[in-house]
Amino acid sequence: MSKTEQKDYTLGDHSQLFTVLAENLKSSFLTIARTAELASSGSDDVDGHLARVQAASSSALTMLDNYLLSLQLTQAGQRLALEPVSLAASLNDIAHQLNRTAEQRRCDLEVIVAGKYEPVMAHGAGLSAALLSLGHFFITAQSQQVHTKRPVITLAAHRTRAGIVAGLFAEVQGLHSATLRRSRKLYGRAHSPVAEMTVSGETGLFIADAILQNMSSGLRTARYQKLPGLAATFTSSQQMALV
Amino acid sequence: MANILLVEPDTTLGSVYKQALERAGNTVHWRKTAASAVNALDQLSIDVLILEIQMAVHNGIELLYEIRSYTDWNAVRVVLHTDIRSSRIDDRARRDLGIEQVLYKSDTSLAQLCEAVTASKVI
């Protein structure tokens, strides 16, 4: 092949290659997840292993899906079309989707939506993908740390003067604003940019960060009932509030 | 129990979906392309069509336009089971093509796929 025929894989082309790779990997993980589901044998022992295969492949599938959505949303080059979204419904749905992964990684989930809120302005699919990715990040991070009791991850929303804050909160070591700042600086340059919290599960954090910066105040460290967490602030839907 | 035409281009996934639907008590005819699906519709009495949109040569939407152009096949119930997010499928296309359900593959377990067939038969 002559030099002019060779493809120049600069950074931009690489991200296109990752897009294709992610689509292909999705297909592989989908096959693994569904085959594991079909292979249930009725034996507790075998089914336990198959359930773990299914949970791991479904988790990978979700992360790839959210990565592709984040690319689609962040590369559009324009502001996202925001619509009124119910945070309570979103948080409950996310908790439901994360439940099996949490169970496999031996932690519990709880949803607390303090008070009754009007919908917030967000991109529905983007918000779900961001919170789901953040959930995977928290579950992975807590599973790599030592706990004296079974850890609980709280998905919560509460009102502040700036708007309605929604995010995930847990007793996870290393969760500080400095950690978030440093991890953003190390993104793409270090093998484990969030080493204070996890050595392998940081993808969910960056996917959530990329999506949320386009539809809210962006991802920030926050506290809820003394628990540290990561959350974003949303404006409420004035139109829906009038109804 | 339904007579199902499953149009799924992926060999491994198609085999898995076919077995799961058969275990749920259905009769499943599996085809990989739009052209072979049209032949199957011509020869078999199909209750439910489970269709992937992304296929080589002719895609699933083209196949649906073909199907809906024949009155004989208008009663076939259609469930899209696809790799394309449902939010990207136009509401008008859903209505015009008589698509009853759109299931995103990544989010749909085998049990949910079987439930969708049962629900489709009830509608």
Side-chain angles (χ1 to χ4, degrees):
Chain A
M1 188 185 285
S2 72
K3 199 171 181 180
T4 51
E5 287 173 317
Q6 288 178 338
K7 190 155 178 66
D8 176 22
Y9 280 112
T10 56
L11 190 61
D13 286 331
H14 260 123
S15 41
Q16 286 165 14
L17 181 63
F18 285 138
T19 307
V20 177
L21 176 66
E23 290 285 3
N24 286 342
L25 285 175
K26 258 181 65 182
S27 177
S28 301
F29 282 116
L30 182 65
T31 305
I32 295 168
R34 297 297 169 261
T35 306
E37 188 183 347
L38 185 71
S40 296
S41 66
S43 145
D44 286 349
D45 202 23
V46 174
D47 286 356
H49 293 309
L50 287 171
R52 279 188 284 279
V53 171
Q54 210 182 320
S57 47
S58 293
S59 170
L61 191 57
T62 303
M63 294 306 290
L64 287 166
D65 248 338
N66 292 344
Y67 165 69
L68 288 166
L69 184 67
S70 76
L71 283 184
Q72 191 190 320
L73 296 181
T74 54
Q75 289 185 345
Q78 55 190 18
R79 297 292 295 173
L80 296 177
L82 305 185
E83 57 188 355
V85 175
S86 163
L87 275 178
S90 289
L91 290 175
N92 278 301
D93 183 49
I94 298 303
H96 178 71
Q97 289 186 59
L98 287 171
N99 209 28
R100 196 168 49 181
T101 307
E103 188 60 37
Q104 293 287 337
R105 299 289 184 101
R106 295 184 174 79
C107 72
D108 292 323
L109 300 170
E110 66 172 354
V111 178
I112 302 177
V113 181
K116 195 176 177 185
Y117 303 129
E118 58 279 11
V120 297
M121 293 306 291
H123 183 280
L127 177 66
S128 292
L131 293 176
L132 198 54
S133 301
L134 213 48
H136 279 280
F137 169 69
F138 269 80
I139 290 170
T140 309
Q142 69 76 26
S143 74
Q144 292 174 358
Q145 298 184 358
V146 177
H147 304 273
T148 51
K149 57 180 183 180
R150 190 171 164 109
V152 177
I153 295 170
T154 303
L155 293 84
H158 62 279
R159 195 187 296 275
T160 66
R161 275 189 294 181
I164 298 172
V165 176
L168 279 79
F169 304 84
E171 284 292 356
V172 186
Q173 292 155 31
L175 182 48
H176 312 292
S177 54
T179 306
L180 184 61
R181 218 169 28 244
R182 195 161 41 245
S183 65
R184 282 175 176 145
K185 278 186 187 167
L186 291 174
Y187 169 71
R189 292 193 289 172
H191 181 257
S192 298
V194 202
E196 295 91 335
M197 295 176 66
T198 170
V199 288
S200 62
E202 62 279 347
T203 319
L205 171 67
F206 294 120
I207 290 173
D209 199 24
I211 295 174
L212 288 172
Q213 68 187 357
N214 272 5
M215 73 167 94
S216 66
S217 62
L219 195 63
R220 291 178 184 173
T221 49
R223 292 192 90 80
Y224 180 70
Q225 293 181 347
K226 296 184 181 174
L227 286 174
L230 291 166
T233 306
F234 299 87
T235 53
S236 57
S237 163
Q238 297 303 322
Q239 187 187 0
M240 294 301 282
L242 291 172
V243 176
Chain B
M1 194 165 81
N3 210 19
I4 297 171
L5 176 59
L6 168 68
V7 186
E8 167 56 60
D10 186 284
T11 302
T12 316
L13 278 176
S15 166
V16 170
Y17 294 139
K18 183 175 188 288
Q19 286 182 65
L21 290 162
E22 283 174 344
R23 276 189 196 175
N26 302 291
T27 303
V28 184
H29 309 274
W30 170 31
R31 299 292 185 273
K32 292 181 180 178
T33 64
S36 59
V38 169
N39 286 338
L41 280 164
D42 210 17
Q43 292 160 9
L44 305 162
S45 176
I46 298 297
D47 304 313
V48 182
L49 172 66
I50 299 177
L51 178 65
E52 167 59 275
I53 295 176
Q54 300 192 107
M55 291 188 291
V57 190
H58 295 292
N59 65 37
I61 297 296
E62 287 176 279
L63 173 62
L64 275 183
Y65 273 109
E66 175 82 8
I67 290 171
R68 293 311 187 203
S69 68
Y70 294 97
T71 49
D72 287 1
W73 295 341
N74 275 346
V76 174
R77 305 194 180 285
V78 175
V79 175
L80 288 192
H81 183 230
T82 179
D83 235 352
I84 295 176
R85 279 183 187 274
S86 62
S87 57
R88 296 175 69 184
I89 297 166
D90 189 43
D91 278 346
R92 192 176 156 194
R94 286 190 202 203
R95 213 173 34 243
D96 291 352
L97 295 170
I99 299 166
E100 280 181 2
Q101 296 186 66
V102 181
L103 305 174
Y104 185 50
K105 272 184 179 169
S106 301
D107 294 341
T108 308
S109 66
L110 297 177
Q112 288 167 327
L113 178 63
C114 294
E115 281 169 20
V117 170
T118 309
S120 175
K121 270 199 75 193
V122 171
I123 291 168

